[in-house]
Amino acid sequence: MNFKVPRGTQDILPQDSWKWHKVEQIISDVCRAYRYSEIRTPIFEQTELFQRTVGDATDIVQKEMYTFEDRGKRSMTLRPEGTAPVVRSFVENKMHGIPDQPVKLYYVGPMFRYERQQAGRYRQFVQFGVEAIGSDNPMIDAEVIALALDVYRRAGLKDLKLVINSLGDRASRAKHREALVAHFEPRIEEFCSDCQTRLHQNPLRILDCKKDHEHPLMVTAPKLTDYLSDENAAYFEAVQNYLAALNISFEIDPNLVRGLDYYNHTAFEIMSTSEGFGAITTLCGGGRYDGMTEEIGGPNAPGIGFAMSIERLLLAMEAENVTFENDELLDVYVATLGEEAEKFGFVLTQQLRAANIHTDTDFLQRKMKGQMKTADRQQARFVIVIGETEVEQQVVQLKNMATGEQREVAVSEVVTTIQQLMK
Ligand code: HAM
């Protein structure tokens, strides 16, 4: 029997994993600069957590969750997203009591959604996300957006578009919802079956429909922005002013609704505008979710955050033809000839590694030519050659692969010599 990686998942192989390290490094650097600390939550949670927060009527909860009953007959779900778990942890660990608010958290980890596989859409993907909980100052909305953009910029991306919208508060949304139902109801049979179900469950999602987006009623649909209270509108304007103060350009899209129910006020997405990018252009999505802490039994603590998948970030880099410099290369390859030299070289290899010099040697007793080929393929900066004579005289031949220069070095001086040459 042949086994295959499950549909919608992928192995990250050595030729690519170094790029992931680079992205993870950028993420931790940027988060440290913005003072967001890492949080790690479990990969599965009680199913009800997602039903309550992401929302019963959403595609994620209805169609995409990996839900199972554990041996204790509890319904568990592999996390489809990171916000609900982080907010659960915030409440459970009483983080609202921490003196320094807001609490600024970030996470990197796998999420699971049973979606149709296509380029940029997987069933297991890695999200980097941040959540700032405990402030309803519009300045933090701008901070969170700036942080996301900084990560992309440090990865070398330029073809980016920020789209923002305000979903208002609950009251504004309820009014808008009524207007939407009234708008679509008379002609709802012209829409797809999903939209017909959405009409009373979640009419906002009709605006997001991939099938019916060209229906004339879509264009004339009541816009959320027209239903914002004065307070909501002022909040949205303040967010825009802070973005402008940071020279961050953006577009307002009144139809940006997001696929999760917990949002209010600010919602945003960052898209790739690169020609080479596939059909799915959204790289990152986020927004404000005031009320979520209370929804799950905690005190009032307004929050905002975003998440982006690392897979899509790497795809966007490919589309823009930007690459990282691979610095996970080999410093020294130790090539040996004969049994004595092999052992001698093995010990030296360990000494070099102890000095944090990235070193490898041959384990297949190959001829010198084969060993040199490996050193070449791995782009070793130096090759050490050891034969019987070298063992006898306690020296090695050290070759600088960039210059071709070769010299004899006493074994006791190999480490310091290489350290100096590497500077
Ligand atoms: P989301 O829009 O569902 O929001 O996902 C955020 C990002 O995760 C997407 O923009 C995309 O980069 C990535 N993503 C989602 N699904 C997939 C998939 N199937 N394959 C690859 N990448 C995917 C959330 O998850 C919210 N928790 C974001 C948030 C945080 N809002 C507030 N705080």
Side-chain angles (χ1 to χ4, degrees):
M1 174 155 187
N2 288 326
F3 292 105
K4 287 207 171 121
V5 75
R7 185 187 284 270
T9 69
Q10 55 181 343
D11 298 317
I12 293 155
L13 300 171
Q15 62 262 33
D16 291 316
S17 57
W18 66 273
K19 297 178 198 157
W20 285 72
H21 301 159
K22 287 276 184 188
V23 175
E24 285 154 8
Q25 190 61 50
I26 292 174
I27 288 169
S28 81
D29 288 349
V30 172
C31 287
R32 278 172 65 181
Y34 280 76
R35 303 292 293 168
Y36 284 66
S37 313
E38 192 185 8
I39 181 166
R40 300 184 187 195
T41 63
I43 288 201
F44 59 89
E45 296 271 353
Q46 280 166 271
T47 302
E48 209 188 329
L49 175 68
F50 301 111
Q51 290 169 332
R52 283 247 187 134
T53 53
V54 174
D56 269 326
T58 57
D59 281 353
I60 294 181
V61 170
Q62 285 196 343
K63 303 184 195 159
E64 296 170 3
M65 294 207 302
Y66 281 89
T67 297
F68 61 97
E69 196 176 80
D70 72 7
R71 285 168 193 270
K73 304 241 175 294
R74 286 171 287 256
S75 180
M76 293 291 166
T77 292
L78 297 185
R79 59 182 186 195
E81 62 104 47
T83 310
V86 167
V87 172
R88 193 260 315 131
S89 178
F90 177 92
V91 170
E92 187 175 347
N93 293 293
K94 302 194 169 41
M95 292 190 216
H96 55 273
I98 296 174
D100 291 323
Q101 298 282 328
V103 176
K104 305 205 286 188
L105 304 165
Y106 83 92
Y107 50 91
V108 180
M111 306 292 159
F112 306 86
R113 296 184 194 178
Y114 193 81
E115 296 196 86
R116 238 173 354 118
Q117 185 190 356
Q118 60 188 104
R121 178 166 285 158
Y122 310 97
R123 291 184 177 170
Q124 174 175 334
F125 53 97
V126 175
Q127 268 189 351
F128 153 54
V130 314
E131 313 295 346
I133 311 173
S135 165
D136 60 3
N137 184 337
M139 198 164 86
I140 199 134
D141 301 33
E143 171 174 286
V144 157
I145 292 171
L147 194 164
L149 288 168
D150 259 359
V151 167
Y152 288 132
R153 286 209 194 97
R154 287 204 201 190
L157 296 181
K158 293 200 177 75
D159 302 342
L160 300 169
K161 183 170 82 176
L162 167 66
V163 180
I164 59 171
N165 188 23
S166 172
L167 306 179
D169 57 18
R170 271 170 208 232
S172 311
R173 274 230 303 284
K175 268 197 243 150
H176 177 240
R177 185 193 160 106
E178 265 172 43
L180 279 177
V181 174
H183 178 77
F184 287 112
E185 197 158 33
R187 289 174 67 185
I188 194 65
E189 66 283 356
E190 294 166 27
F191 286 76
C192 72
S193 59
D194 277 344
C195 283
Q196 299 188 10
T197 323
R198 285 172 190 144
L199 180 69
H200 288 287
Q201 276 187 349
N202 193 355
L204 206 57
R205 295 284 294 158
I206 297 179
L207 300 178
D208 218 17
C209 181
K210 306 275 175 303
K211 287 187 207 137
D212 293 321
H213 65 278
E214 283 181 359
H215 193 288
L217 280 192
M218 290 293 206
V219 187
T220 53
K223 296 210 179 347
L224 200 69
T225 24
D226 296 335
Y227 288 79
L228 297 185
S229 67
D230 290 349
E231 242 174 56
N232 292 170
Y235 190 94
F236 190 34
E237 210 176 304
V239 173
Q240 294 172 48
N241 287 337
Y242 283 119
L243 289 173
L246 299 181
N247 283 323
I248 294 176
S249 46
F250 55 86
E251 277 174 28
I252 297 176
D253 178 359
N255 286 334
L256 177 78
V257 295
R258 312 268 307 118
L260 305 92
D261 276 357
Y262 49 63
Y263 291 112
N264 41 56
H265 296 286
T266 316
F268 67 93
E269 290 187 353
I270 299 170
M271 329 274 193
S272 168
T273 54
S274 177
E275 292 245 323
F277 206 66
I280 303 174
T281 55
T282 306
L283 297 179
C284 169
R288 190 161 265 291
Y289 46 85
D290 300 352
M292 195 193 294
T293 48
E294 287 143 300
E295 193 70 50
I296 60 171
N300 171 31
I304 178 158
F306 69 75
M308 61 172 73
S309 69
I310 296 184
E311 288 85 350
R312 285 193 198 168
L313 186 159
L314 291 170
L315 285 173
M317 287 181 64
E318 255 173 54
E320 284 194 38
N321 262 322
V322 288
T323 42
F324 291 124
E325 191 196 337
N326 186 356
D327 53 16
E328 292 185 17
L329 297 175
L330 185 60
D331 294 327
V332 180
Y333 189 82
V334 178
T336 61
L337 212 64
E339 233 171 79
E340 278 305 304
E342 187 188 57
K343 195 159 120 205
F344 185 85
F346 187 43
V347 173
L348 180 62
T349 297
Q350 283 299 91
Q351 286 165 357
L352 289 161
R353 290 168 176 168
N356 206 24
I357 297 168
H358 303 178
T359 310
D360 212 350
T361 189
D362 174 68
F363 290 89
L364 298 173
Q365 299 184 327
R366 287 174 306 170
K367 299 207 174 82
M368 191 49 72
K369 205 170 155 198
Q371 297 186 49
M372 293 307 280
K373 270 194 184 155
T374 296
D376 261 346
R377 266 196 303 272
Q378 309 238 339
Q379 298 172 47
R381 295 173 68 184
F382 301 95
V383 172
I384 286 176
V385 179
I386 306 169
E388 271 170 38
T389 333
E390 280 76 19
V391 179
E392 256 167 46
Q393 298 175 2
Q394 295 287 300
V395 294
V396 304
Q397 304 302 324
L398 175 64
K399 187 169 177 192
N400 183 332
M401 298 301 273
T403 61
E405 179 212 351
Q406 187 165 324
R407 60 167 117 165
E408 194 169 277
V409 182
V411 159
S412 55
E413 273 155 31
V414 171
V415 173
T416 43
T417 308
I418 291 177
Q419 275 171 332
Q420 256 160 22
L421 288 171
M422 281 185 15
K423 268 187 197 153

